[in-house]
Amino acid sequence: INSARFYAYGKKPRDLRFAFDRVFDESTTQQEVFTHTTSSIIDGVLDGLNCSVFAYGATGAGKTHTMLGDFECPGVMFLTMMGLYRRIAELKDQKTCEIGVSYLEVYNETIHDLIAPSGNLEMREDPEKGLVVSGLSVHQPKTADEILQFLAIGNENRTQHPTDANATSSRSHAVFQVFVHQKPRTAGLSTDVSRAKM
């Protein structure tokens, strides 16, 4: 990528160079984006690592389409969950696994539950879990298709305000969290449960 001029307040301009692992154009499919970006984190989550996937860009750049897609063309979030459930099925003789999901929106410095709306929610510090959103619902889908239903419900509940660039702009930040709890099937009573969050 060509260098860009960067001007800091009162400082001499400097050239910056940016490197990208991969660049996608408008002909790229959702499956290709998933394969080259988030498919590799699934095993990390199952190994107990916390992982994050996020989309950043200008209004109208395609963040929502890439992450969510729709029923005909599911996005990275759904494809990642399909991959996670596929791997869990492959490991079912070795591990028991429970999945929990929540979906929240941050809009105008307030937090809302998108799956089970109940007014403004507050962040609290839990001595065991760290920062948590008090009152946020957690659901236990059994299949990736149920995940798509939760995403659809949540997206219907997102705050939207049209802009000149995007008539359906959400104007908010949405966070879909996946909690993975697993333990070996041969584990005794004292075996630690592996917990990861995506």
Side-chain angles (χ1 to χ4, degrees), residues 136-181:
L136 181 64
S137 64
V138 177
H139 307 268
Q140 294 185 308
K142 300 299 181 205
T143 66
D145 287 330
E146 286 183 45
I147 295 284
L148 195 57
Q149 292 171 5
F150 284 127
L151 288 170
I153 291 167
N155 293 334
E156 287 294 319
N157 291 323
R158 282 190 76 183
T159 303
Q160 294 189 344
H161 291 290
T163 66
D164 290 339
N166 185 350
T168 59
S169 180
S170 63
R171 312 306 300 152
S172 69
H173 302 283
V175 179
F176 186 74
Q177 291 183 298
V178 180
F179 308 94
V180 180
H181 296 196

Side-chain angles (χ1 to χ4, degrees), residues 65-82:
H65 173 73
T66 300
M67 295 301 282
L68 300 175
D70 54 37
F71 282 103
E72 291 80 35
C73 187
V76 167
M77 291 166 70
F78 177 71
L79 295 172
T80 301
M81 293 307 299
M82 281 185 59

Side-chain angles (χ1 to χ4, degrees), residues 10 26 35 49 55 71 96 100-101 104 108-109 133-134 139 143 151:
E26 63 276 358
T35 299
L49 299 174
F71 282 103
T96 61
V101 299
L104 65 85
N108 280 345
E109 299 183 18
V133 177
S134 182
H139 307 268
T143 66
L151 288 170

Side-chain angles (χ1 to χ4, degrees), residues 16-180:
L16 296 178
R17 295 190 184 274
F18 301 94
F20 299 91
D21 295 328
R22 187 170 296 270
V23 176
F24 302 102
D25 65 19
E26 63 276 358
S27 67
T28 305
T29 66
Q30 299 282 51
Q31 184 65 47
E32 289 173 307
V33 173
F34 164 72
T35 299
H36 296 293
T37 59
T38 61
S39 65
S40 61
I41 69 169
I42 293 169
D43 284 333
V45 170
L46 291 173
D47 287 339
L49 299 174
N50 292 331
C51 303
S52 295
V53 178
F54 69 96
Y56 178 80
T59 298
K63 299 179 298 291
T64 301
H65 173 73
T66 300
M67 295 301 282
L68 300 175
D70 54 37
F71 282 103
E72 291 80 35
C73 187
V76 167
M77 291 166 70
F78 177 71
L79 295 172
T80 301
M81 293 307 299
M82 281 185 59
L84 178 63
Y85 277 100
R86 193 175 307 115
R87 287 291 292 130
I88 288 170
E90 292 169 4
L91 298 170
K92 69 180 179 188
D93 293 336
Q94 302 164 33
K95 299 179 180 183
T96 61
C97 191
E98 293 178 6
I99 300 290
V101 299
S102 65
Y103 199 13
L104 65 85
E105 169 185 64
V106 180
Y107 177 71
N108 280 345
E109 299 183 18
T110 60
I111 302 169
H112 304 276
D113 189 323
L114 290 173
I115 297 175
S118 60
N120 295 346
L121 303 176
E122 299 289 330
M123 289 195 73
R124 307 241 188 265
E125 189 160 354
D126 181 281
E128 293 179 18
K129 300 177 185 175
L131 286 176
V132 296
V133 177
S134 182
L136 181 64
S137 64
V138 177
H139 307 268
Q140 294 185 308
K142 300 299 181 205
T143 66
D145 287 330
E146 286 183 45
I147 295 284
L148 195 57
Q149 292 171 5
F150 284 127
L151 288 170
I153 291 167
N155 293 334
E156 287 294 319
N157 291 323
R158 282 190 76 183
T159 303
Q160 294 189 344
H161 291 290
T163 66
D164 290 339
N166 185 350
T168 59
S169 180
S170 63
R171 312 306 300 152
S172 69
H173 302 283
V175 179
F176 186 74
Q177 291 183 298
V178 180
F179 308 94
V180 180

